[in-house]
Amino acid sequence: MVSRSSAARCYALVPCAGAGERAGAGGPKQYRAVGGRSVVWHTLAALSGVSRLAGTLVVLSAADGEFERHAGEAACWTARVGGATRAASVANGLAALRERGVRDDDWVLVHDAARCLVLPSDIERLIEACEHDAVGGLLALPVADTLKRGSPGDAERVALTLDRRSLWQAQTPQMFRLGLLGEALARAGDAVTDEASAVELLGHSPRLVRGSLENFKLTWPADFALAERLLRTRA
Ligand code: CTP
Ligand code: MG
């Protein structure tokens, strides 16, 4: 009898249906050029360097007419099922993965299209750290700076200083089994800004796997020039 590998299957799900308002570019930031290619091109290139991924699904907005022009050669599925929030886009993407045969006990790595500087080696470390975990986990960074909370009355004045010990910044990928993540997002609704917080609301404690500062999310106008410089030094 042919023995079948018992290694769990891993898939990537890339929410790519945002409008990029904070980047102020007048269009979705995932299609802006950095280092001669679009943001999402770099993201998909990094994912295609991870041999443990059995497939990648990109979630686009229904009106998207740009992705194919910007995506390059990386093999991926697309689903035009983007929602009004990131959480809705991810939940709809999970349903699209199910339609393609992905099962409840398969792992799904949700990764922002806008984090185009992620390294395949960091994704591989996340998979190694989580694939035998009961819950799953995420790339994250211990907070280095002292944290201030702005005043309710004047956001540019300090109300208090937070204790940064034990605080982490959540990144992506965030890796959970499809079944658990689907249930978590269905219960949590639209307000959560990452997958881990939905899973936490079910009472679980996702694993924190130390990531890299370079895996930042392109969010503000100045982030694109920084990404450009980092890509240049990598080449
Ligand atoms: N995203 C999505 N569907 C949404 C909102 C966001 O698929 N309704 C995706 C974005 O395309 C991005 C990732 O989720 O790859 C992270 O979201 P964020 O950085 O907030 O991107 P935008 O929502 O596009 O930006 P902004 O919040 O500044 O408008
Ligand atoms: Mg957003």
Side-chain angles (χ1 to χ4, degrees):
M1 205 175 114
V2 181
S3 77
R4 294 182 65 183
S5 163
S6 62
R9 296 190 303 173
C10 298
Y11 294 85
L13 191 167
V14 180
C16 187
E21 279 170 22
R22 286 170 290 176
K29 60 190 176 184
Q30 55 270 32
Y31 301 134
R32 266 185 70 174
V34 284
R37 304 281 195 171
S38 68
V39 167
V40 70
W41 184 96
H42 294 288
T43 306
L44 294 176
L47 290 169
S48 68
V50 181
S51 59
R52 281 294 309 274
L53 291 174
T56 294
L57 175 96
V58 184
V59 177
L60 305 172
S61 72
D64 190 303
E66 290 191 78
F67 175 77
E68 280 74 14
R69 186 152 38 92
H70 290 288
E73 310 77 37
C76 61
W77 298 312
T78 56
R80 285 180 158 68
V81 295
T85 62
R86 184 179 176 287
S89 294
V90 172
N92 294 345
L94 293 180
L97 281 176
R98 267 186 221 280
E99 284 167 16
R100 286 168 173 80
V102 180
R103 297 183 306 240
D104 274 353
D105 60 350
D106 291 329
W107 291 103
V108 178
L109 281 76
V110 180
H111 183 65
D112 295 326
R115 281 182 206 272
C116 64
L117 290 151
V118 69
L119 293 171
S121 54
D122 283 339
I123 302 175
E124 281 157 3
R125 272 190 317 107
L126 176 71
I127 293 173
E128 276 165 28
C130 294
E131 67 178 326
H132 301 297
D133 196 279
V135 180
L138 61 146
L139 289 181
L141 270 188
V143 169
D145 296 317
T146 301
L147 291 180
K148 309 288 184 188
R149 172 166 289 154
S151 307
D154 181 352
E156 292 180 4
R157 289 205 169 268
V158 175
L160 58 91
T161 299
L162 297 162
D163 183 356
R164 72 165 177 241
R165 284 171 302 175
S166 82
L167 288 182
W168 295 66
Q169 267 176 266
Q171 301 181 333
T172 71
Q174 302 204 355
M175 170 171 170
F176 297 101
R177 287 196 169 81
L178 185 146
L180 176 70
L181 183 55
E183 183 193 347
L185 289 171
R187 293 244 196 124
D190 261 7
V192 289
T193 53
D194 73 348
E195 290 61 55
S197 48
V199 169
E200 290 154 39
L201 287 170
L202 292 182
H204 300 297
S205 292
R207 181 177 290 276
L208 292 160
V209 179
R210 193 187 267 254
S212 147
L213 188 55
E214 291 196 16
N215 182 24
F216 69 93
K217 184 165 61 113
L218 276 70
T219 303
W220 308 105
D223 293 346
F224 294 81
L226 178 58
E228 185 102 35
R229 277 156 55 199
L230 287 168
L231 285 169
R232 214 178 293 140
T233 59
R234 283 183 187 178

